[in-house]
Amino acid sequence: MLAETLAAIRPADPRALAEARAHQDRLTKPRGSLGALEEVAIRLAGAAGASPPPMPEPAALAIFAADHGVHARGVTPWPQEVTVQMVANFLSGGAVANAFAAQAGVQVTVVDVGVATDLAEVPGLMVHKIAYGTEDLSRGPAMTVDQAVRALEAGIVVARDLVAGGARCLITGDMGIANTTASAALISVFTGKDPAEVTGRGTGIDDATYNSKVDIVRESLRVNGLAGFPGTAPPPSEALRALAAVGGFEHAAIAGFILYGAAARVPVILDGVIAGAAALVAAALDPAVTDHCVAGHRSAEPGHSAALVHLGLRPLVDLELRLGEGTGGLLAHPMVCAAVRVMHDVATFDSAGVTEKPV
Amino acid sequence: MLAETLAAIRPADPRALAEARAHQDRLTKPRGSLGALEEVAIRLAGAAGASPPPMPEPAALAIFAADHGVHARGVTPWPQEVTVQMVANFLSGGAVANAFAAQAGVQVTVVDVGVATDLAEVPGLMVHKIAYGTEDLSRGPAMTVDQAVRALEAGIVVARDLVAGGARCLITGDMGIANTTASAALISVFTGKDPAEVTGRGTGIDDATYNSKVDIVRESLRVNGLAGFPGTAPPPSEALRALAAVGGFEHAAIAGFILYGAAARVPVILDGVIAGAAALVAAALDPAVTDHCVAGHRSAEPGHSAALVHLGLRPLVDLELRLGEGTGGLLAHPMVCAAVRVMHDVATFDSAGVTEKPV
């Protein structure tokens, strides 16, 4: 299923890109006056292979939840059971992601890809559990390559089901206590940056915990024999090995979710640092996936900025959010819709009888 | 009516601010993890005098349109008739503001406060015309103080009517070819910054036109005997005189629109540089108005950044838009709603049974 999905991915269509760019310049607004939003609309036209691109709604958010063996190393003061407690909170509609999704009219699906306790499949929850949390990435591989592929395929299945259900935009979300540690390790590997540059304070840790977290990320790379892929893209087998070694099940699943969106030409709005790390994995498997992604926001985590630079994506929201859950992606969704709606609704100088600025 | 509105304005309620801050810390999210959006929700609680504050919807956008005598000086390549052509475009739903408003579910009202040609009152258009455009601000006062007060009061009436019609959030919009010139002059006066620092290229001008525009702004201050009010707030009579000397009818009307929002405790989302200049006038009349404002976005115009710094407001959207019409404010509205919805919908650690991080 992974191979099939990868085989279906195409880069942006240059003709649709050119048409979209030309159309932007005919609309009743000064050229370029919508700034970065013009680029978003043009990017989505390229991704869809059509100008104007289809409206990216309805959108669906999938929150991939999993636990992490590295939690035992004390990388966060939050207890591990908060992962499953937050899953319950999502399902009862009490989390920030639910409030943001309600505001944006976005459907929320929670996916258990590796929570440490058993969860029953209930409405709003899909169970694709690979294991009861990963192994400790600082002692050896967090998961096997086979588990990594199964988690990727879980993300593909979730995206496929959501698109089959009518979703025309996919938003990534995550929940997993300790998952910024795995994100930092992945980002260090895929960008070649030092762990100290890409490790952050997650949901809030003191200096001692932070220093220890950087050491643990560094240790995870050494123990797993990961030298980093600076500059050049790794071969897919190496990318999968790195994902398995230091990733989380939610990272793998989000990477698969992104791959399916790209294959189906349904745009994917990336949330924060966990999505950024997952997108690096997906882009290593096929660089064309980034043509189908929009960076919803820039999180306060330093590794996220590094990932976005590496991916060549400009975030739409930059308000120091550091919550995850898909909250940054949800905030960006109305802006992405607004950008595309301009291409559908706005009059041209000719049609509106507005005098164009003399060139 | 102006005096009455000013008398009704109150600063943020410290008790509601404190309650909102404490409530944020009880919600099921790491403290501070919503970044600048927590501050938005807290600010709106202070403005409303209630925590949680009422949801800022439905919202209403008012696009104040007017022409400018300084257009004759060649500050822009766009012909003056584009103002009235764009009014027609707004009324037929073909402008970017219409597309963004449709996306956000916001009602659009266009207000003629000084368009150079006669317009009939039709659905969606309110006529409060003060004159057929201002006089040339580089030769003398753009308007009389009496006209400035009447334009302020037109903005008050529009805001009052929209709030009476159910609006729970006001968004500022503008249309007026050459109005970035008047904005630069106002911003120079109210921030004390040199015209060269606060004059921009508006919707797009070449170097020669830009240099001439800076000279014209400088000339307008000299001709009108405006030394600038660096550091200290001017007395209201001086603020009105400055507004009349170098403002536009839409600046005056937007200032009144903001004043009414503050008086009625209905939050105002400011759009770009024209709104920023108008907010400086409103804040000079009563500094408490800024407690009721949210900066929707930061425009590409350098004067807008200066105005926001002076007002102490942080913009929510920062994507190099330079269109006006209320487009930046419209993009911010869903985020402001999301920020407030968190205070209404999100569970607390206690109620959701989520373990809080040990302090």
Side-chain angles (χ1 to χ4, degrees):
Chain A
M1 181 188 298
L2 176 58
E4 212 173 281
T5 303
L6 285 168
I9 296 172
R10 298 284 173 278
D13 175 7
R15 204 163 97 175
L17 286 174
E19 278 177 18
R21 210 171 285 282
H23 186 65
Q24 284 284 351
D25 289 347
R26 284 192 297 270
L27 300 176
T28 47
K29 61 176 178 53
R31 286 190 182 195
S33 62
L34 288 179
L37 290 189
E38 296 194 10
E39 291 307 314
V40 167
I42 292 164
R43 164 179 283 270
L44 264 61
S51 174
M55 281 297 294
E57 50 187 5
L61 167 70
I63 304 177
F64 293 93
D67 280 307
H68 296 266
V70 72
H71 182 272
R73 298 289 309 271
V75 288
T76 170
W78 295 88
Q80 186 170 66
E81 63 260 29
V82 170
T83 301
V84 70
Q85 289 169 348
M86 284 302 297
V87 167
N89 201 16
F90 296 135
L91 294 173
S92 63
V96 174
N98 301 102
F100 282 12
Q103 186 64 41
V106 172
Q107 177 201 348
V108 179
T109 300
V110 187
V111 187
D112 172 9
V113 279
V115 178
T117 48
D118 276 315
L119 290 169
E121 194 137 346
V122 293
L125 177 69
M126 295 167 100
V127 177
H128 290 278
K129 197 193 288 286
I130 311 300
Y132 295 94
T134 52
E135 300 297 316
D136 178 357
L137 54 84
S138 70
R139 315 281 193 196
M143 57 185 113
T144 65
V145 169
D146 176 65
Q147 285 179 317
V149 171
R150 283 196 288 135
L152 274 158
E153 295 191 335
I156 291 172
V157 168
V158 169
R160 190 194 62 194
D161 289 356
L162 291 173
V163 171
R168 292 299 170 260
C169 179
L170 297 169
I171 305 176
T172 73
D174 71 275
M175 181 68 222
I177 297 298
N179 67 9
T180 61
T181 302
S183 299
L186 286 171
I187 292 168
S188 177
V189 171
F190 283 92
T191 67
K193 290 208 178 284
D194 190 84
E197 290 178 72
V198 298
T199 303
R201 285 166 192 269
T203 48
I205 53 178
D206 60 21
D207 286 352
T209 309
Y210 173 73
N211 291 331
S212 159
K213 184 173 171 182
V214 173
D215 289 344
I216 287 165
V217 170
R218 198 181 301 285
E219 211 176 317
S220 75
L221 305 186
R222 190 179 47 74
V223 163
N224 287 290
L226 292 168
F229 312 123
T232 55
S237 62
E238 274 303 289
L240 282 177
R241 192 179 78 79
L243 169 64
V246 297
F249 293 125
E250 70 273 53
H251 297 88
I254 293 172
F257 188 75
I258 295 168
L259 291 174
Y260 185 85
R265 290 189 177 274
V266 171
V268 181
I269 303 181
L270 304 176
D271 187 35
V273 68
I274 283 81
L280 289 171
V281 175
L285 296 176
D286 187 337
V289 299
T290 55
D291 290 349
H292 301 269
C293 294
V294 173
H297 89 127
R298 181 205 310 274
S299 103
E301 285 285 291
H304 192 209
S305 294
L308 292 174
V309 167
H310 197 84
L311 292 163
L313 295 175
R314 174 182 174 157
L316 295 181
V317 176
D318 197 358
L319 296 171
E320 281 133 46
L321 269 68
R322 49 182 174 79
L323 177 56
E325 303 181 357
T327 48
L330 288 165
L331 287 178
H333 181 251
M335 279 197 272
V336 176
C337 290
V340 174
R341 188 178 282 268
V342 164
M343 308 231 1
H344 288 267
D345 287 8
V346 173
T348 60
F349 283 102
D350 277 353
S351 72
V354 173
T355 311
E356 198 166 357
K357 171 182 138 182
V359 182
Chain B
M1 181 189 300
L2 175 58
E4 212 172 279
T5 303
L6 285 167
I9 295 171
R10 299 282 173 277
D13 176 8
R15 206 164 95 175
L17 286 173
E19 278 177 18
R21 211 171 283 283
H23 186 65
Q24 284 283 351
D25 288 347
R26 284 191 297 269
L27 300 177
T28 46
K29 61 176 177 54
R31 288 190 181 192
S33 61
L34 287 179
L37 290 189
E38 296 194 11
E39 291 307 314
V40 167
I42 292 166
R43 163 179 284 269
L44 263 60
S51 175
M55 280 297 293
E57 51 185 4
L61 167 70
I63 304 177
F64 294 93
D67 279 307
H68 296 265
V70 73
H71 183 272
R73 297 290 309 272
V75 289
T76 170
W78 294 87
Q80 186 169 67
E81 64 261 28
V82 171
T83 302
V84 70
Q85 289 169 347
M86 284 301 298
V87 167
N89 201 16
F90 297 135
L91 293 172
S92 63
V96 175
N98 300 102
F100 282 12
Q103 187 63 40
V106 172
Q107 177 201 348
V108 180
T109 300
V110 187
V111 187
D112 172 10
V113 280
V115 178
T117 48
D118 276 314
L119 291 169
E121 194 137 347
V122 293
L125 176 69
M126 297 166 100
V127 177
H128 291 278
K129 197 193 287 286
I130 311 298
Y132 294 93
T134 52
E135 300 296 317
D136 178 358
L137 53 82
S138 70
R139 315 283 193 194
M143 57 186 111
T144 66
V145 169
D146 176 63
Q147 285 179 317
V149 171
R150 282 195 288 134
L152 274 158
E153 295 191 336
I156 291 172
V157 167
V158 170
R160 190 194 62 195
D161 289 355
L162 291 174
V163 171
R168 292 298 170 261
C169 180
L170 297 169
I171 304 177
T172 73
D174 70 274
M175 182 67 222
I177 297 298
N179 68 8
T180 60
T181 302
S183 299
L186 286 170
I187 292 168
S188 177
V189 171
F190 283 92
T191 67
K193 291 208 177 287
D194 190 83
E197 289 178 72
V198 297
T199 303
R201 285 166 193 268
T203 47
I205 54 179
D206 61 20
D207 286 352
T209 310
Y210 173 72
N211 291 331
S212 157
K213 184 173 171 183
V214 173
D215 289 344
I216 287 165
V217 170
R218 199 182 300 286
E219 211 177 317
S220 76
L221 304 186
R222 191 178 48 73
V223 162
N224 287 289
L226 292 168
F229 312 122
T232 55
S237 62
E238 274 303 290
L240 282 178
R241 191 177 81 78
L243 170 64
V246 297
F249 293 125
E250 71 274 51
H251 296 88
I254 292 171
F257 188 75
I258 295 168
L259 291 174
Y260 185 84
R265 290 188 176 277
V266 172
V268 181
I269 302 182
L270 304 176
D271 187 35
V273 67
I274 283 80
L280 288 171
V281 175
L285 296 177
D286 187 338
V289 299
T290 54
D291 290 351
H292 301 268
C293 293
V294 173
H297 89 128
R298 182 204 311 273
S299 103
E301 284 285 291
H304 192 209
S305 294
L308 291 175
V309 167
H310 198 85
L311 293 163
L313 296 175
R314 174 182 175 157
L316 295 181
V317 176
D318 198 357
L319 296 171
E320 281 132 44
L321 270 68
R322 49 182 174 80
L323 178 56
E325 304 181 357
T327 48
L330 288 165
L331 287 178
H333 181 251
M335 280 198 270
V336 176
C337 289
V340 174
R341 187 178 282 267
V342 165
M343 310 238 349
H344 288 267
D345 287 7
V346 173
T348 60
F349 283 102
D350 277 355
S351 72
V354 174
T355 311
E356 199 165 356
K357 171 182 138 182
V359 182

